[in-house]
Amino acid sequence: ATGLPADLVIVGNAPRGVRNYLGHDVHLFTLTVLPPGQAPYQVQVGNPVPAKALPLLYPGSKVPGKGFRPERIIHPPVWDRLTA
């Protein structure tokens, strides 16, 4: 994924009742993106989450990701790296 490294803080999430092609539940996330040296901003994204990453999904949890400003596009965290 391209973009600048940024911390992502989970504001909220909810399973959407669908799964991706690997069988992971897709969650809708509200995230605060904290790019270094820039103002934080909030986005909503859908992202599949493997079962082993579910313990990381709580409000206030900080996970690494990538973001762009001004487009406000974010790349959600790579769960495999966080749960390895």
Side-chain angles (χ1 to χ4, degrees), residues 1-8 31-36 38-39 41 43 45 63-77:
T2 60
L4 302 173
D7 285 328
L8 309 175
L31 301 168
T32 298
V33 181
L34 305 168
Q38 298 180 31
Y41 58 94
V43 296
V45 296
V63 294
K66 292 190 177 187
F68 296 92
R69 182 122 180 158
E71 295 91 354
R72 296 182 182 231
I73 299 170
I74 68 107
H75 292 281

Side-chain angles (χ1 to χ4, degrees), residues 1-83:
T2 60
L4 302 173
D7 285 328
L8 309 175
V9 179
I10 297 174
V11 176
N13 76 85
R16 300 304 301 156
V18 296
R19 294 176 186 247
N20 73 349
Y21 70 98
L22 295 173
H24 301 311
D25 288 326
V26 175
H27 286 246
L28 175 64
F29 290 91
T30 301
L31 301 168
T32 298
V33 181
L34 305 168
Q38 298 180 31
Y41 58 94
Q42 211 168 69
V43 296
Q44 286 190 322
V45 296
N47 191 42
V49 180
K52 65 183 177 182
L54 291 176
L56 302 173
L57 305 184
Y58 58 88
S61 179
K62 188 185 287 187
V63 294
K66 292 190 177 187
F68 296 92
R69 182 122 180 158
E71 295 91 354
R72 296 182 182 231
I73 299 170
I74 68 107
H75 292 281
V78 179
W79 300 115
D80 290 338
R81 278 192 250 155
L82 293 173
T83 58

